[in-house]
Amino acid sequence: MGLVVQKYGGSSVADAEGVKRVAQRIVATRKDGHDVVVVVSAMGDSTDELIDLAQQVSPLPPGRELDMLLTAGERISMALLAMAIANLGFEARSFTGSQAGVITDSVHGKARIIDVTPGRIRTALEAGAVAIVAGFQGVSQDTKDITTLGRGGSDTTAVALAASLGAQVCEVYTDVDGVFTADPRIVRSARRIPQISYEEMLEMAASGAKVLHLRCVEYARRYGMAIHVRSSFSTLPGTYVTDLDEEEAADMEQPIIAGVAHDRSEAKITVVGVPDKVGEAATIFQALADAQINLDMIVQNVSSATTRRTDISFTLPTEAGGRALAALDRVQAAVGYRSLQYDDQIGKVSLVGAGMRTHPGVSARFFTALADAGVNVELISTSEIRISVVVRGSDVDDAVAAVHSAFGLDSADVEAVVYGGSGR
Ligand code: ADP
Ligand code: ASP
Ligand code: MG
């Protein structure tokens, strides 16, 4: 009997009843003879509530203190879960990320795990205890300060621990029955995907399918760790994120399209009237890079023959909008652009599928579906296995549903169930 790492998301431990229900599941796994390491998120929407609270005392809280505050959410749920397990007659010991040996860099709010040294977890397991670890947090190697891994980061804690401890599988328990062909909150006829490759899951996660944190999928691929995504509210089979071996792949007809993802967390900036000269784009993007801003889509229009000026648009996380505008302001004189436009009422819709590489006509069908649904496309970007468009935020639901149907992804029978969570 091997070691299993189980991660329970905030919606699974939203209240005392949830904590007790999860404790039962953990004990059942323990009774099956497995060693169990559990990673737990903060209860319900409590991370959002802590952020709201911080905003009320300071519009720009220092990163160190914000991380200190947010990690408290996971400390509450880890201790409660350990108590609930003890109440069922099994030993459980809770650990903060730092105690569990999750070592990170020192970038507050989006720290990267650089090492995992789970000595205390091993000791707990050897003593026959269930180890409970607070997700989404670590300790900086340099500053020794407490860090967080970014929103949704508990998934990454789970995979990192699973890889470091050599677990059989990393189970991610959430409020839906696995990874679906679209967010079940938007498309009730979405289908469960029984198995998805790391590559496709990476694109889905990067495109906004928040069921798994992007870094956790990167980590799992690097270490070949299988992730089993399933509901903590049901016993349905869920989704395996893993690559098929050659024999399995030959037996199974892989669909052309894995699914449709959407993302409402980005904003769009247009730099208007950029002189058409060598080096202008370099100056603009260097200023944004210096401000530590991650850009997503970038589009430059052809310059007008009369003015010899062009517009450059790009998308970025909404929370970085203010910093980006300030950084661009500082280079206005050097670049000589005319003005800036900021728009946070946008959404991104992406179609993901490894079959795009070899099947022509995917783009045509995608854009026809959007046109038939009356959705205007503002920006387009592609990778080898993804097409993404920026549309009005109010068009996102219609666009997702239209594209989902156009690729025949709707399921005829079972409706996708959402068991909990607020979708926040
Ligand atoms: P947890 O609290 O368990 O970490 P999250 O809210 O982070 O849960 O992730 C689960 C949510 O992800 C689901 O409730 C669902 O609304 C959303 N989601 C988005 N895209 C997908 C998808 N393709 N398949 C399943 N869930 C998705
Ligand atoms: N509690 C953190 C968040 O809400 C981490 C997580 O849930 O994975 O983002
Ligand atoms: Mg999550």
Side-chain angles (χ1 to χ4, degrees):
M1 291 289 139
L3 168 69
V4 176
V5 172
Q6 299 187 329
K7 178 258 171 177
Y8 292 91
S11 46
S12 297
V13 292
D15 51 20
E17 279 317 305
V19 172
K20 289 198 266 183
R21 188 173 46 77
V22 164
Q24 297 272 10
R25 269 198 108 114
I26 295 166
V27 164
T29 314
R30 189 77 192 89
K31 282 185 180 157
D32 280 347
H34 295 284
D35 283 336
V36 190
V37 173
V38 175
V39 173
V40 70
S41 295
M43 296 171 78
D45 289 335
S46 59
T47 306
D48 292 288
E49 286 153 17
L50 290 171
I51 292 174
D52 291 348
L53 199 55
Q55 296 287 339
Q56 287 172 39
V57 297
S58 161
L60 250 186
R64 180 188 187 277
E65 302 312 324
L66 190 59
D67 275 358
M68 199 60 121
L69 177 73
L70 296 189
T71 53
E74 270 71 12
R75 290 178 76 136
I76 292 173
S77 46
M78 75 179 191
L80 289 172
L81 191 53
M83 291 174 199
I85 293 172
N87 189 49
L88 297 173
F90 284 75
E91 197 194 338
R93 295 183 197 166
S94 65
F95 299 93
T96 64
S98 167
Q99 290 174 324
V102 180
I103 315 290
T104 71
D105 63 19
S106 55
V107 185
H108 287 293
K110 50 178 174 209
R112 278 185 172 270
I113 297 178
I114 51 185
D115 197 10
V116 184
T117 52
R120 296 190 67 183
I121 306 300
R122 285 211 182 87
T123 308
L125 294 175
E126 278 157 18
V130 174
I132 318 264
V133 179
F136 155 76
Q137 54 180 270
V139 60
S140 158
Q141 190 169 48
D142 307 330
T143 62
K144 309 291 181 237
D145 282 331
I146 298 299
T147 54
T148 63
L149 310 180
R151 298 307 306 272
S154 297
D155 300 337
T156 303
T157 306
V159 170
L161 273 170
S164 161
L165 293 164
Q168 281 179 332
V169 62
C170 181
E171 297 180 332
V172 172
Y173 286 91
T174 183
D175 54 11
V176 288
D177 284 307
V179 181
F180 283 74
T181 49
D183 185 342
R185 279 179 211 273
I186 295 194
V187 182
R188 297 311 296 265
S189 56
R191 257 188 233 173
R192 181 178 59 86
I193 306 173
Q195 185 274 334
I196 185 169
S197 64
Y198 293 118
E199 184 189 37
E200 287 175 315
M201 192 63 231
L202 270 177
E203 291 279 5
M204 291 282 285
S207 307
K210 68 167 182 162
V211 61
L212 286 178
H213 194 228
L214 175 59
R215 295 253 185 86
C216 112
V217 189
E218 286 172 355
Y219 218 102
R221 176 160 74 168
R222 189 169 344 126
Y223 291 93
M225 173 57 60
I227 308 176
H228 186 188
V229 183
R230 48 194 309 202
S231 168
S232 73
F233 299 81
S234 81
T235 52
L236 293 171
T239 297
Y240 280 93
V241 183
T242 176
D243 287 334
L244 295 177
D245 62 33
E246 269 170 41
E247 216 171 283
E248 289 168 325
D251 282 353
M252 237 171 121
E253 167 109 41
Q254 289 297 301
I256 300 170
I257 297 302
V260 186
H262 71 280
D263 189 349
R264 296 181 207 273
S265 68
E266 294 194 344
K268 180 174 77 168
I269 290 180
T270 302
V271 189
V272 181
V274 180
D276 191 3
K277 283 195 311 221
V278 173
E280 297 290 67
T283 310
I284 288 172
F285 291 117
Q286 188 60 52
L288 295 165
D290 292 344
Q292 302 280 323
I293 290 161
N294 284 323
L295 305 182
D296 182 17
M297 294 160 123
I298 302 175
V299 172
Q300 175 173 339
N301 291 332
V302 283
S303 62
S304 130
T306 45
T307 63
R308 306 273 302 150
R309 283 174 185 266
T310 181
D311 296 343
I312 297 179
S313 298
F314 56 87
T315 62
L316 74 173
T318 304
E319 40 91 11
R323 278 189 295 130
L325 291 172
L328 291 170
D329 244 9
R330 288 195 288 274
V331 295
Q332 179 164 21
V335 175
Y337 67 80
R338 292 209 165 115
S339 61
L340 297 175
Q341 285 171 0
Y342 180 75
D343 183 354
D344 58 8
Q345 301 300 306
I346 60 160
K348 186 171 77 172
V349 175
S350 305
L351 181 70
V352 174
M356 270 182 217
R357 284 200 184 96
T358 44
H359 288 77
V362 171
S363 311
R365 201 192 293 189
F366 178 74
F367 288 107
T368 303
L370 293 173
D372 290 348
V375 174
N376 186 42
V377 172
E378 301 182 15
L379 300 179
I380 304 171
S381 83
T382 59
S383 83
E384 243 186 303
I385 66 162
R386 173 184 53 80
I387 314 174
S388 300
V389 290
V390 165
V391 300
R392 282 294 91 206
S394 50
D395 281 342
V396 167
D397 288 13
D398 290 348
V400 171
V403 171
H404 192 264
S405 296
F407 284 89
L409 298 174
D410 293 305
S411 141
D413 37 278
V414 256
E415 285 209 324
V417 180
V418 178
Y419 297 91
S422 63
R424 189 170 172 183

